[in-house]
């Protein structure tokens, strides 16, 4: 079974939702047969790459919040994250464009290191003092290497704005086609969707239901068609 997760590194509920989903997956009897794929979704696609601002200022401008309201929201998120065993800095975080992060996640997917990289990027954004957005490309290289990627390959992607750009845009178009207008958004075997950072028991129910309702393969076979198999290929007889 395949689970696709549309998310953005700048999304705190994606950070929390991933942890809740993983708790459900850890206790799922068929977890070894579940493939998890992370898909791209930008919450702020119009933001320029160098446009970095404090989270509280971003929240105030985007949602019309006072600084006190924005801080209260961050404190609540910090408590929600802590309940899932996650570190979360409720003060002095910043916000920026995530397009390059998504491009690197597609590189990591090719290398089988996608989940490692997304978790490291979440940690860097939500738990560490150093900025994920204002320290330049070498900060991203450092984090990608920690996830097991080759530094030169990462630099090459960051130096080429077209690298994996089509893959990011394809993910975003697919999210729109599936009706996702926010993240996190979980799609199980293209049959069930779960929106938001739901409780662990909701993810458990979704995994169980999606697994139980998988359609078995229906074989259309007359039984006399030539084919190749482990013992070789059928040889036509004159």
């Amino acid at each position: 079974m395949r689970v696709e997760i549309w998310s953005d590194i700048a999304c705190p509920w994606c950070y929390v939702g991933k942890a809740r989903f993983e708790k459900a997956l850890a206790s799922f009897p068929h977890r070894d047969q579940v493939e998890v794929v992370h898909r791209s979704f930008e919450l702020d696609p119009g933001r320029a790459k160098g446009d970095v601002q404090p989270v509280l200022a971003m929240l105030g401008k985007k949602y019309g919040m006072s600084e006190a309201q924005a801080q209260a929201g961050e404190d609540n998120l910090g408590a929600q994250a802590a309940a899932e065993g996650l570190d979360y800095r409720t003060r002095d975080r910043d916000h920026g464009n995530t397009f390059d992060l998504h491009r690197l996640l597609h590189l990591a997917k090719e290398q089988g290191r996608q989940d490692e990289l997304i978790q490291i990027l979440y940690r860097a954004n939500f738990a560490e003092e150093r900025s994920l957005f204002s320290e330049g490309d070498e900060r991203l290289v450092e984090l990608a290497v920690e996830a097991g990627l080759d530094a030169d390959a990462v630099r090459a992607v960051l130096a080429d704005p077209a690298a994996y750009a089509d893959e990011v845009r394809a993910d975003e178009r697919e999210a729109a086609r599936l009706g996702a207008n926010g993240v996190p958004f979980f799609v199980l075997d293209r049959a069930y969707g779960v929106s938001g950072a739901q409780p662990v028991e909701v993810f458990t129910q979704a995994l169980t239901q999606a697994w139980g309702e998988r359609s078995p393969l229906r074989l259309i076979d007359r039984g006399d068609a030539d084919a190749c198999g482990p013992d070789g290929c059928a040889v036509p007889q004159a």
Side-chain angles (χ1 to χ4, degrees), residues 224-235:
D224 58 355
D226 295 328
C228 294
D231 297 325
C233 296
V235 179

Side-chain angles (χ1 to χ4, degrees), residues 55-94:
V55 165
L56 296 187
M58 179 276 294
L59 292 172
K61 182 178 181 180
K62 187 171 184 177
Y63 299 108
M65 294 179 173
S66 68
E67 183 174 337
Q69 288 172 323
Q71 186 60 67
E74 282 292 285
D75 290 340
N76 176 58
L77 279 162
Q80 298 269 359
E84 306 304 330
L86 301 172
D87 292 328
Y88 190 100
R89 295 180 65 241
T90 61
R91 301 291 191 278
D92 302 322
R93 288 195 307 108
D94 60 15

Side-chain angles (χ1 to χ4, degrees), residues 106-170:
H106 278 279
L107 169 67
K109 181 175 180 289
E110 287 188 350
Q111 304 297 320
R113 311 297 296 177
Q114 192 185 44
D115 194 69
E116 288 84 355
L117 180 58
I118 199 169
Q119 193 60 37
I120 286 168
L121 293 176
Y122 277 141
R123 184 201 71 205
N125 187 42
F126 292 110
E128 296 183 355
E129 291 187 12
R130 294 177 62 189
S131 172
L132 187 61
F133 302 106
S134 64
E135 292 194 22
D137 287 352
E138 283 305 303
R139 170 66 166 151
L140 302 186
V141 173
E142 172 190 321
L143 294 169
V145 167
E146 183 182 343
L149 300 183
D150 177 74
D152 289 339
V154 174
R155 291 189 183 100
V157 169
L158 293 172
D160 178 7
Y164 299 101
D166 289 345
E167 287 82 350
V168 174
R169 297 306 182 210

